[in-house]
Amino acid sequence: METIKSREDKMKERNTRQKNLAKMIGQNLSLYICIMIPVILIGLIWTDSSLPKLGWGLLGDAILTVALFVIGERSMINVGINGGKLDDEYLETRSRFREIVANVKKIGILMLDPFCDWQIDLELRRAKQTRCRHIGIKFHDYQEKYEGKPFDELVKMVGAEKAAQIQAINNLKPIDLNPDLLLTEGVGKRDRRDIPEGAWEYIQKKKYGKIGIAISAVTAVFTVTIALTLTKDLTLARVLYTAVKLTALLYRMTNGYNNGAKAYNMKEVAHLNAKIEYLSEYEEFMGKKLYLTIAEDYPQVKQIACGEFNDKGVENEIQSI
């Protein structure tokens, strides 16, 4: 047994060392790339005998500039992530989230599934009520007269403009909410009172999203076209060309850093706060036995309650409400 334990301990130590080494290399490599890219950009300008010309020279410069912009911005995202993870607000929010998850698990998560179904229905109802107020109709009238009606019929009843507004209410979709989403530091969306997107999803969007890459490409092409207006014989022209290109690069790298940091000190904080809000409501849902009030509409509640407590008293308590 001691030999097996000794081997496990050695494996754990080795894995820990490898993880720490990989983490250190990854963090330092991103920083190193971020430092070297401006140096490379300046060097390419000043070691060339002339500014880029029309044709293959300009095309090569354009491709290289785009590559440097894209790599530089995405490397700075990684550096920004490390900064965002050290933000006090993120660390505090993550700590509160983990604490409330532990408390919820102590209470029991059997009722969390019907709780999510109940919250989904509540949110959809609230969203429809809000939209009804905005377009000036009573929610009761909406339910009786307009809900679920086809668009053509709505047009005959209230006219095309009002029908389009009512149709938008009819088209509202339920939010995505489930126990796995609430209990893990995962990804999500926030269309209304949903769980907002997390850091991982936000970073993927910024790194590989079409808009981010398009902006980088357009910015890079802009700096390439400036070369066409400069005179190669003037040293000042080369200096200005370098300054403009470097400024654009540093702007994109700064933007990358801000996106990386924002992923955790803003996006992930909002993501976790929404989960904390729902889990706090679940604590109240269980503590005050609010599940008894919805048992008739959600049969799963009655099944879980009676099965968990194995007591006819629960059935009587439900019927008495």
Side-chain angles (χ1 to χ4, degrees):
M1 288 293 292
E2 290 183 5
T3 307
I4 295 174
K5 270 193 172 182
S6 175
R7 287 178 183 173
E8 288 180 352
D9 291 340
K10 286 180 180 178
M11 287 179 66
K12 286 180 181 178
E13 288 178 7
R14 186 172 60 187
N15 289 339
T16 302
R17 284 198 300 270
Q18 288 176 345
K19 287 178 182 177
N20 291 336
L21 180 62
K23 185 178 180 181
M24 182 183 69
I25 291 174
Q27 291 175 347
N28 292 336
L29 187 59
S30 292
L31 187 59
Y32 173 75
I33 292 171
C34 293
I35 293 171
M36 286 305 299
I37 283 178
V39 175
I40 293 170
L41 188 68
I42 294 171
L44 288 171
I45 296 171
W46 285 89
T47 54
D48 193 0
S49 59
S50 63
L51 294 174
K53 299 181 177 66
L54 285 172
W56 290 108
L58 181 58
L59 179 62
D61 181 75
I63 293 172
L64 187 56
T65 302
V66 169
L68 288 175
F69 273 53
V70 172
I71 293 170
E73 183 174 356
R74 274 132 193 84
S75 296
M76 283 302 288
I77 287 177
N78 293 332
V79 176
I81 288 170
N82 296 327
K85 284 182 177 179
L86 298 176
D87 187 84
D88 290 338
E89 189 173 1
Y90 165 68
L91 293 173
E92 181 185 345
T93 305
R94 187 185 65 176
S95 177
R96 287 194 296 114
F97 171 72
R98 291 179 177 178
E99 183 180 343
I100 197 168
V101 166
N103 291 338
V104 164
K105 287 182 177 179
K106 286 180 183 178
I107 294 171
I109 60 173
L110 282 175
M111 287 287 187
L112 194 52
D113 206 2
F115 169 79
C116 288
D117 292 340
W118 177 49
Q119 288 295 315
I120 290 169
D121 293 340
L122 274 182
E123 197 283 335
L124 186 59
R125 182 184 176 88
R126 287 169 184 160
K128 288 183 175 182
Q129 286 175 329
T130 301
R131 297 285 184 90
C132 285
R133 283 197 298 271
H134 286 167
I135 66 173
I137 63 174
K138 294 182 179 179
F139 183 64
H140 178 72
D141 292 339
Y142 164 75
Q143 287 181 305
E144 283 194 348
K145 300 177 183 178
Y146 311 124
E147 190 170 21
K149 294 284 176 63
F151 181 71
D152 292 342
E153 190 174 339
L154 290 173
V155 171
K156 293 177 183 177
M157 295 172 68
V158 295
E161 184 179 350
K162 201 78 167 179
Q165 295 174 328
I166 294 173
Q167 185 66 22
I169 299 175
N170 287 338
N171 290 339
L172 285 174
K173 303 296 182 185
I175 61 172
D176 182 20
L177 194 67
N178 58 71
D180 289 338
L181 189 61
L182 289 179
L183 296 174
T184 58
E185 295 176 46
V187 300
K189 297 179 180 178
R190 192 186 183 103
D191 293 329
R192 299 192 293 270
R193 190 181 177 253
D194 201 350
I195 303 299
E197 66 181 2
W200 183 88
E201 188 176 9
Y202 178 76
I203 290 166
Q204 295 305 305
K205 192 183 297 180
K206 288 297 177 182
K207 276 188 174 181
Y208 308 113
K210 293 179 181 178
I211 294 176
I213 293 176
I215 291 173
S216 296
V218 169
T219 311
V221 170
F222 170 74
T223 65
V224 173
T225 57
I226 290 176
L228 300 175
T229 64
L230 300 177
T231 305
K232 64 181 181 180
D233 297 330
L234 294 177
T235 304
L236 179 60
R238 191 182 292 271
V239 172
L240 290 175
Y241 177 66
T242 303
V244 170
K245 209 163 190 176
L246 187 59
T247 300
L249 173 65
L250 294 178
Y251 168 76
R252 296 308 307 169
M253 292 177 72
T254 302
N255 190 62
Y257 178 87
N258 290 337
N259 285 331
K262 182 180 178 181
Y264 280 89
N265 61 27
M266 290 183 65
K267 293 290 182 177
E268 189 70 3
V269 167
H271 179 71
L272 294 177
N273 275 332
K275 293 184 178 184
I276 290 170
E277 184 180 344
Y278 275 115
L279 291 173
S280 296
E281 290 182 14
Y282 178 72
E283 287 181 319
E284 183 180 6
F285 179 76
M286 294 298 292
K288 295 183 178 179
K289 295 186 178 181
L290 297 179
Y291 53 84
L292 297 174
T293 64
I294 65 169
E296 294 302 324
D297 296 323
Y298 299 88
Q300 190 180 1
V301 172
K302 189 184 295 187
Q303 293 172 3
I304 293 172
C306 293
E308 183 180 359
F309 301 116
N310 195 24
D311 188 354
K312 283 292 182 183
V314 173
E315 182 76 25
N316 296 333
E317 195 171 356
I318 291 172
Q319 292 175 352
S320 66
I321 294 175

